[in-house]
Each structure stands twice: as C-alpha cells, then as structure tokens.
C-alpha cells in the first residue's frame, strides 16, 4: 500500500485548518502565569502562559496591545482571551491574544501599581522635590473642566475666603482619551507663560475609569516639571491618583484644595485686629515707661543744680588719684623687694665672695691654672686674692 507524500507546508496548513474549524479553540479564556515575556520594537508582545504542569506560547500583536492598560511582567497572574491556531512557517501552535487582564485585580489597578512603582523609583514622589505653597497667592490657575461642579465650588470658596487673589480657569478635558494630553499641556502652558504663582488641577468624584487621566504618566511628569507649586484636587477623600503623589500638596476634594490654597480673610482680619491691639498696648507701655523716665529725670538733683554733677566728678577724680598713688606705691615696693632678692642672688654667685673666704685664683702665661700640668718650674704666676694680687714663682 502506497502512502501519499505531503510537504511540510501542506501538513502545517492542514493542521491549521483543523484548529481554525474547532469552535472550542476560536474563543478561549486561559488563566496562567506570564513567563519569557518580550516586547519587540514592532510593538508585538511574545510570552508564554504556564501553570504547574504545562506551558502555552502566546502572541499579542500591536493592534490588540494598544488597549492594554498595564505592562505584562514575568510572574504576573493573568487571564488571556484569544484563539489557538498554528503558525504555518514554524508548525507551532500558539494562543493569539486579543485581550489580557490581570488575574485577581483589575487592569486599572495593575497599571496604577506599575506606574506608581516606576515613578517612585525615579524620585518623582520625593519630599525633597516638593515646593512650598505660597501663603498669600496673588494669581491662581485652575486646570480643570470649566463645566463641572468642581470648578464652581472652587471659584466660590476662593472668592469667599480670599477675594484679593486673581483666579482664572485654564479649560481642559478631565475625562477620556484626550484628557491626559490636555491636562499636561495646560500645566506646561501656565508655566511657560508664568501666569500664576499657584496651580490647582483636578476634578470631581467618579469611578476609577473617570479619574484615570490623573493616573497618566504624562500628567505626572508635567506636574513634576512644573516650576509653579501644584495642588492636586481629584475626586473624593478615598480617591488617590498618581497626580496626588507627585503634586506639591494633595487635597481630599476640589473644595478642600481651594481651602488649602488661600487663607480665610475673616481669620486674617481677626489676626490683624489682634496684632493692632497688641501694638497699641505695647505703645502705651513704651509711652508710660518714657513718661516715668522723664519724671525721674525731672526730679534729678543734677537737673536743678548742674554744678553738683561737676562736684561728683571731682570727688570721683580725687578717689581715682588716691587709688592710682596707692597702686604705684605698692608696685614700687614690690619691685624694690624683688630687686633686693635678685641682687642678693647675684652677689652670692660672685667670684669675689669665694676669694673673701680665703681662696685665690692662679693665672699663668697660658691663662687660668686649673691643673699642675698647666705650669712648669720657673714660671711666674699671679695669685689673685681678695684684696689684691701676689706674684710668685713655680718651684
């Protein structure tokens, strides 16, 4: 019996047609752990899904990967949706992934944690980079939607608390695919034009999807690069976005941002009144002290009898003269005593004192005689004694 001979390509295409015709393989949800993950410059993602006993090759083309909210990583638990077929060139079957979600947590949460870790490692959240919020801002830029309730609340609170500040709205979308670029562009534009000394950016509450534009990397980097201090005002108290971590100050709500941005004028007026009262009391105290000093000076004997001041100074001069004379006498006595002690010490060391006790000094032709070897018979010596000299001959 003879068997037909097929080419490799024919076999691969036949297997491909069998798999493509299997409805069970045309739409699969597969749970597994990502391994051997690679992102090619073409934008295609290649990886394997594995469990305890097996592995499955997967590919996700750039078109489908454009909808990914997070970056797959080795070891990540995911659920992939797609279809299984054979790549005829290699004869290798694989899962062609059209959708990928993180297992156990949502895509948005996974994307949030990935971007948070990335920016934290790059130092965008460091406290050292935070700029101080001006205490009395003169111009405030609200980077937000001009149509939302949040902007109306902020304008109302800013106008009530600190009407001296000039507030203007930089309109941008705060929801949707175009929102991140508009928010980042508005923040950069305010900086480029030096339009304000404080920026508030945010929006009212909503779902995580609604607030997602404030978890965008471009928005985070625009806030980080801003030379003008930025207050984040996103959502409600429990809502936390990447913008909150990067901003110089986080507020719980847009209304809270307006309260943090400016002081309360009523509190400032009360403070000024308090300081005015303190200043008035201080001035009254200074005037009272000056009046008391003036009255004391008016009772001074010197003011009524100017010569009394001269008399006092004369007595002081006399006392100083006496003290000076006494000091000089003591100093001379101490010096005289010290001179006597030094003279006595010097006299005790004098050679004449030694001669006075019966000793003599012999001097020969070669100088002072210190040894019998210094003289010879017949030489003349001069003996110095206490009251004169004696000439003698060596025998």
């Amino acid at each position: 019996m003879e068997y037909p001979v097929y080419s490799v390509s024919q076999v691969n295409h036949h297997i491909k047609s069998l798999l493509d015709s299997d409805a069970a393989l045309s739409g699969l949800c597969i749970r597994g752990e990502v391994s051997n993950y690679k992102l090619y410059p073409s934008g295609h993602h290649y990886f394997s899904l594995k469990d305890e006993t097996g592995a499955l090759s997967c590919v996700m083309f750039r078109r489908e990967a454009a909808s990914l909210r997070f970056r797959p990583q080795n070891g990540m638990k995911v659920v992939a949706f797609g279809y299984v077929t054979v790549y005829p060139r290699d004869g290798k079957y694989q899962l062609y992934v059209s959708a990928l979600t993180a297992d156990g947590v949502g895509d948005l949460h996974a994307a949030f944690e990935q971007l948070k870790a990335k920016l934290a490692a790059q130092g965008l959240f460091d406290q050292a980079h935070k700029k101080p919020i001006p205490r009395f801002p003169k111009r405030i830029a609200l980077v937000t939607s001009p149509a939302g309730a949040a902007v109306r609340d902020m304008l109302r609170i800013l106008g009530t608390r600190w009407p001296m500040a000039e507030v203007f709205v930089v309109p941008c979308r705060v929801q949707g695919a175009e929102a991140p670029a508009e928010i980042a562009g508005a923040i950069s534009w305010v900086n480029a034009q030096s339009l304000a000394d404080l920026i508030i950016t945010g929006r009212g509450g909503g779902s995580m999807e609604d607030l997602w534009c404030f978890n965008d990397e471009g928005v985070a980097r625009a806030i980080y690069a801003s030379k003008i201090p930025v207050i984040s005002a996103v959502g409600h108290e429990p809502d936390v976005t990447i913008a909150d971590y990067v901003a110089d100050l986080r507020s719980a709500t847009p209304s809270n941002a307006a309260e943090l941005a400016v002081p309360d004028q009523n509190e400032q007026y009360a403070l000024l009144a308090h300081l005015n009262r303190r200043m008035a009391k201080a001035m009254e105290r200074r005037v009272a002290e000056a009046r008391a000093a003036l009255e004391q000076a008016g009772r001074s004997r010197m003011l009524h009898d100017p010569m009394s001041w001269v008399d006092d100074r004369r007595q002081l001069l006399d006392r100083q003269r006496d003290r000076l004379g006494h000091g000089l006498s003591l100093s001379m006595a101490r010096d005289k005593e010290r001179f006597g002690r030094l003279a006595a010490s010097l006299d005790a060391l004098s050679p004449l004192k030694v001669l006075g006790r019966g000793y003599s000094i012999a001097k020969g032709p070669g100088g002072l005689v210190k040894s019998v070897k210094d003289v010879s018979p017949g030489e003349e010596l001069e003996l110095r004694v206490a009251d004169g000299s004696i000439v003698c001959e060596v025998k």
Side-chain angles (χ1 to χ4, degrees), residues 82-102:
Y83 61 94
V84 175
T85 188
V86 170
Y87 184 38
R89 193 193 69 179
D90 297 338
K92 177 182 179 181
Y93 78 90
Q94 54 190 357
L95 178 67
Y96 289 76
V97 181
S98 57
L100 191 67
T101 60

Side-chain angles (χ1 to χ4, degrees), residues 162-376:
W162 198 248
M164 290 72 81
E166 181 181 359
V167 183
F168 55 95
V169 178
V170 182
C172 62
R173 279 177 277 198
V174 290
Q175 185 173 339
E178 298 83 3
E182 292 190 10
I183 297 171
I187 294 173
S188 300
W189 182 75
V190 173
N191 275 270
Q193 302 298 322
S194 299
L195 293 181
D197 48 12
L198 179 62
I199 296 174
I200 301 176
T201 183
R203 53 155 291 159
S207 65
M208 191 173 189
E209 289 80 0
D210 295 337
L211 307 180
W212 190 253
C213 56
F214 290 97
N215 289 321
D216 183 80
E217 182 174 353
V219 173
R221 295 195 180 279
I223 295 175
Y224 181 79
S226 175
K227 296 180 180 178
I228 300 172
V230 177
I231 298 178
S232 64
V234 184
H236 299 304
E237 174 62 36
D239 299 321
V240 180
T241 65
I242 296 296
D244 293 327
Y245 288 105
V246 184
D248 300 295
L249 179 64
R250 175 191 178 260
S251 62
T253 63
S255 299
N256 179 237
E259 294 171 352
L260 296 174
V262 295
D264 186 347
Q265 62 171 337
N266 295 325
E267 294 178 357
Q268 296 303 312
Y269 284 134
L271 176 61
L272 289 175
H274 173 68
L275 294 176
N276 184 59
R277 290 191 296 271
R278 288 185 58 187
M279 183 173 64
K281 291 181 178 179
M283 291 302 297
E284 290 175 0
R285 186 167 56 253
R286 291 288 300 275
V287 170
E289 292 173 353
R291 182 179 290 112
L294 180 62
E295 292 175 355
Q296 182 179 3
R299 294 190 297 269
S300 173
R301 179 173 63 90
M302 181 176 57
L303 188 63
H304 299 287
D305 184 9
M307 288 305 297
S308 63
W309 185 86
V310 176
D311 294 338
D312 292 342
R313 295 302 178 275
R314 284 174 176 171
Q315 294 181 25
L316 178 61
L317 181 61
D318 290 340
R319 286 196 295 271
Q320 294 287 24
R321 183 184 297 113
D322 293 341
R323 290 180 60 189
L324 180 60
H326 181 66
L328 287 174
S329 298
L330 290 178
S331 177
M332 290 180 64
R334 286 194 297 268
D335 291 343
K336 185 175 181 180
E337 181 183 358
R338 181 169 175 268
F339 177 77
R341 289 197 306 271
L342 293 175
S345 299
L346 183 62
D347 184 59
L349 297 175
S350 173
L352 297 178
K353 282 285 185 180
V354 177
L355 296 179
R357 295 199 295 269
Y359 293 94
S360 63
I361 299 174
K363 184 178 181 182
L368 292 178
V369 178
K370 299 179 181 180
S371 171
V372 293
K373 298 178 181 179
D374 294 339
V375 296
S376 299

Side-chain angles (χ1 to χ4, degrees), residues 15-37:
I15 296 175
K16 175 177 172 58
S17 65
L18 292 176
L19 295 180
D20 290 345
S21 62
D22 189 340
L25 300 178
S26 62
L28 294 173
C29 283
I30 303 176
R31 176 181 287 110
E33 179 181 314
V34 176
S35 65
N36 300 319
Y37 172 77

